[in-house]
Amino acid sequence: MTRQARPFGAITKPGRARLAALRPMVSFTLGCALLALLLFLPATPGDFPFGWVDGIPVELLAAAGLLLLAQGLVFRLLLAVIGLAAAVILFLKLADLGTYSAFGRPFNPLLDVVILTDGWNLLTGTVGLAEAFAIIAAAIAVWALAIAILVYALAQGRKLRGPRAHRIGAVACILALLGGVADYADRPNPEGIPLLSAENSAFATGRIDLIRQSSLDLIAFESDLAADPLADLAGQPILQALGGRDVYILFVESYGRTVLSDPAYRALIEPRLKAVEKQLSEAGYGARSGWLASPTVGGQSWLAHGALLSGLPTTDQHRYDRMIASERQTLNALFRRSGWRTVAVMPAITMDWPEGGYYGYDEIFAAADLGYRGLPFNWVTMPDQYTLSAARRIVESADRPVMVEAALISSHAPWTPIPRLVPWDAVGDGTVFDAQASVGPTPKEVWAEPARVRDHFVRSIDYALQTIGDFIARFGDDAVFIVLGDHQPARLLTGDGAGRDVPFHILANDPAVLERLGPLGLDNGLIPAEDQASRTMWSVRESLVRTLTNAGRSEDGTERTAGSSTARSELIDKGY
């Protein structure tokens, strides 16, 4: 009988058997590699690419060793625990990357679920509804697929049986135990779980501590609610130094300290502020400026509005909600008590705003109430020039002094198109801006290049400052203006370590009013000194009321000023 030739490349039965035996080992090794990648994945953008990889994490050795030793139900339970832990860790690290990029802080499971809706609104306004759905779906799919592959690959460990696999598993468990104990003992102040490597132990214990500290902070916040530092002025006349002048409080979106501390931004903003200062000086207006530490970074502007008006450290949504349910009198409620008509001009409010009832406004003008008939500038419903023009009409129609709080949102993402000033008498119903709203690159085009995003951002701030300066010079009359940023922009625009400070300006054409502000420690002009001490945004309510109230003077004739409590100072030190 003639032996048939074996086709070239064909695998014999013994070869197929060896290959079949090899597959579980390759799959299990792949699963261990994926688990290592997950454990090494940084939780902050500044740590890329995997800057702290310096060895094999002991938790990887422990997981691999136990899976090789376990069998049956124990194996399946262990695999489920590892899969669940991996899913949670990956979610938290991805969430951290998102919140660090947007708000400069880690994700807080206790407090941050509420921002998912706001993040969705921002994303859809920046890239569009379809693209937003695609991004979210892709992120969820990648997360789920990564965990599914990890679990499937590790599950192949059940096929690795025999003395060799058991010996490898035992050695891995022993190395994990020794490595964990050694790593724990080497720490100057050992904390956390001994069997976790230092980095992952810090990640786990840090998250637990963050939740615990948030709970304690919410309890401490109750004492802030109960003790109003202005309680001694209850029933007394206040704010007499203003002489019944109109007051504008103008929040400028994303107007943070970075526009003056970053040389690339300062090159445009410093000349703009100097030009506005000169323009206002010629119109008889003086300025005092300083720094305020905002309760938020990168978004959640309402936290800043709440902090300034309530005098409370509204550093997260739970505190804000608690403030809304409290009896604390806001700054505008105090103005209202003293005879001012209090008005909110809110072009970003496009839905019901039940929280507005807390603030004590006589009237709230949301986007639909301002009479704008022009096209939106993507997410931005109307340009700042129209917002200020509408605010002026409201003030001029009043039969008594007006305190108006207005949000200027032209410097909100996606920063395209950027408006331009038109003659004020041509503003009308806003249709004059249609041509501007219809040109320029799309958000997708702008956000495709970080350098282009930065350029559009700073030019939007420049437009906002130019608009405010021109408005005050032309229509300020005798009004007092308080102009401040709501928060620093996102990390993409500031880089790492930018802090929470925002510029703060008070402008008036009465030197006596500006003189009263001396105790606030502000600098002359529109550019505060770099080394000027920053005060918290929530300290402004007490400081302003006391410095502008005759009853705010102590028996020796000096001004009483608001000092930050130790607890509140610690909030700043900890980055909230």
Side-chain angles (χ1 to χ4, degrees):
M1 179 179 293
T2 304
R3 177 182 296 178
Q4 290 184 331
R6 180 164 54 89
F8 179 75
I11 301 177
T12 63
K13 287 184 178 180
R16 285 196 296 270
R18 286 193 296 270
L19 184 60
L22 189 62
R23 283 173 183 164
M25 183 180 300
V26 172
S27 296
F28 186 74
T29 303
L30 174 62
C32 291
L34 287 175
L35 184 58
L37 187 65
L38 185 151
L39 293 171
F40 284 135
L41 179 69
T44 59
D47 286 336
F48 276 95
F50 302 93
W52 51 264
V53 175
D54 58 1
I56 300 175
V58 295
E59 47 270 59
L60 173 62
L61 291 172
L66 291 173
L67 285 173
L68 288 173
L69 291 173
Q71 299 183 33
L73 178 61
V74 175
F75 178 89
R76 291 193 293 273
L77 289 175
L78 183 61
L79 182 63
V81 170
I82 293 173
L84 179 61
V88 171
I89 291 172
L90 181 58
F91 172 81
L92 289 176
K93 288 191 173 185
L94 293 177
D96 274 356
L97 291 172
T99 53
Y100 268 113
S101 297
F103 306 122
R105 58 173 176 77
F107 176 76
N108 190 326
L110 181 65
L111 304 176
D112 284 341
V113 175
V114 69
I115 69 173
L116 296 178
T117 300
D118 305 303
W120 170 256
N121 291 336
L122 176 59
L123 186 62
T124 54
T126 301
V127 302
L129 183 62
E131 290 84 354
F133 266 118
I135 291 172
I136 297 300
I140 293 174
V142 168
W143 171 78
L145 183 61
I147 298 303
I149 292 175
L150 171 68
V151 172
Y152 174 80
L154 291 178
Q156 303 311 301
R158 71 182 185 276
K159 299 178 181 178
L160 300 174
R161 292 290 175 261
R164 179 182 297 179
H166 290 164
R167 285 195 296 271
I168 293 174
V171 169
C173 288
I174 293 172
L175 290 176
L177 180 62
L178 293 176
V181 171
D183 183 57
Y184 185 72
D186 286 342
R187 302 179 203 176
N189 298 297
E191 294 178 358
I193 306 169
L195 287 180
L196 288 184
S197 57
E199 295 81 5
N200 290 299
S201 176
F203 180 79
T205 58
R207 195 54 46 101
I208 295 171
D209 185 62
L210 180 64
I211 295 173
R212 181 184 63 83
Q213 190 59 50
S214 297
S215 300
L216 294 176
D217 285 345
L218 289 175
I219 295 172
F221 186 63
E222 296 299 321
S223 65
D224 290 301
L225 286 171
D228 189 341
L230 293 176
D232 60 304
L233 298 181
Q236 300 182 36
I238 58 174
L239 303 171
Q240 304 98 318
L242 289 172
R245 290 174 172 81
D246 295 323
V247 176
Y248 289 79
I249 298 179
L250 305 179
F251 280 92
V252 181
E253 173 67 37
S254 297
Y255 178 37
R257 185 167 186 156
T258 194
V259 300
L260 287 171
S261 62
D262 187 318
Y265 296 145
R266 189 178 181 110
L268 179 62
I269 299 305
E270 183 177 25
R272 172 61 66 193
L273 287 173
K274 289 181 176 178
V276 169
E277 187 177 325
K278 181 176 183 294
Q279 181 184 22
L280 294 179
S281 178
E282 292 172 352
Y285 266 83
R288 300 287 187 273
S289 298
W291 305 110
L292 294 179
S294 173
T296 184
V297 171
Q300 295 183 286
S301 302
W302 58 90
L303 299 181
H305 290 242
L308 183 89
L309 296 175
S310 71
L312 292 165
T314 51
T315 54
D316 57 61
Q317 187 63 41
H318 282 248
R319 285 175 174 242
Y320 183 86
D321 293 340
R322 188 67 190 87
M323 174 200 74
I324 292 295
S326 75
E327 299 296 325
R328 172 62 69 93
Q329 280 194 308
T330 60
L331 182 60
N332 36 295
L334 294 171
F335 269 92
R336 185 181 185 185
R337 186 189 100 189
S338 302
W340 274 262
R341 181 188 179 208
T342 58
V343 171
V345 176
M346 297 292 169
I349 300 295
T350 58
M351 298 179 287
D352 289 339
W353 189 40
E355 299 94 333
Y358 158 75
Y359 284 102
Y361 302 113
D362 287 298
E363 197 163 4
I364 296 173
F365 292 86
D369 305 317
L370 294 172
Y372 184 69
R373 299 292 179 264
L375 296 175
F377 285 62
N378 283 307
W379 184 92
V380 177
T381 55
M382 62 194 71
D384 291 345
Q385 186 176 10
Y386 185 88
T387 301
L388 288 174
S389 180
R392 176 190 168 213
R393 291 196 304 269
I394 294 167
V395 170
E396 291 182 343
S397 67
D399 57 359
R400 53 194 168 109
V402 178
M403 179 268 197
V404 56
E405 178 202 358
L408 303 181
I409 60 173
S410 287
S411 47
H412 193 290
W415 304 300
T416 184
I418 297 173
R420 300 184 307 276
L421 276 177
V422 301
W424 288 92
D425 58 5
V427 171
D429 64 358
T431 53
V432 68
F433 297 105
D434 285 355
Q436 298 182 25
S438 305
V439 298
T442 65
K444 187 183 297 186
E445 292 169 338
V446 170
W447 283 71
E449 303 174 30
R452 201 171 188 184
V453 176
R454 290 169 62 87
D455 175 65
H456 276 246
F457 160 72
V458 72
R459 289 196 290 120
S460 73
I461 295 291
D462 180 65
Y463 161 78
L465 296 175
Q466 179 190 20
T467 303
I468 292 169
D470 203 55
F471 177 80
I472 296 174
R474 292 174 183 272
F475 309 113
D477 297 325
D478 289 330
V480 174
F481 291 82
I482 298 173
V483 181
L484 70 157
D486 52 6
H487 53 69
Q488 283 266 55
R491 178 185 172 277
L492 171 67
L493 300 165
T494 65
D496 293 321
R500 293 174 175 264
D501 287 353
V502 299
F504 171 57
H505 315 288
I506 302 180
L507 307 104
N509 64 357
D510 184 349
V513 172
L514 295 177
E515 185 65 25
R516 293 288 296 241
L517 301 173
L520 274 67
L522 305 178
D523 293 321
N524 290 328
L526 288 176
I527 303 179
E530 281 292 317
D531 59 354
Q532 185 193 130
S534 172
R535 64 172 52 232
T536 60
M537 191 175 286
W538 51 88
S539 71
V540 170
R541 170 181 174 268
E542 182 185 359
S543 296
L544 282 180
V545 171
R546 290 200 183 279
T547 55
L548 297 174
T549 296
N550 293 336
R553 294 183 181 275
S554 62
E555 292 181 359
D556 62 2
T558 59
E559 294 284 358
R560 294 181 57 188
T561 57
S564 297
S565 67
T566 301
R568 293 182 181 185
S569 297
E570 288 176 353
L571 285 173
I572 297 293
D573 295 338
K574 294 186 298 183
Y576 310 152

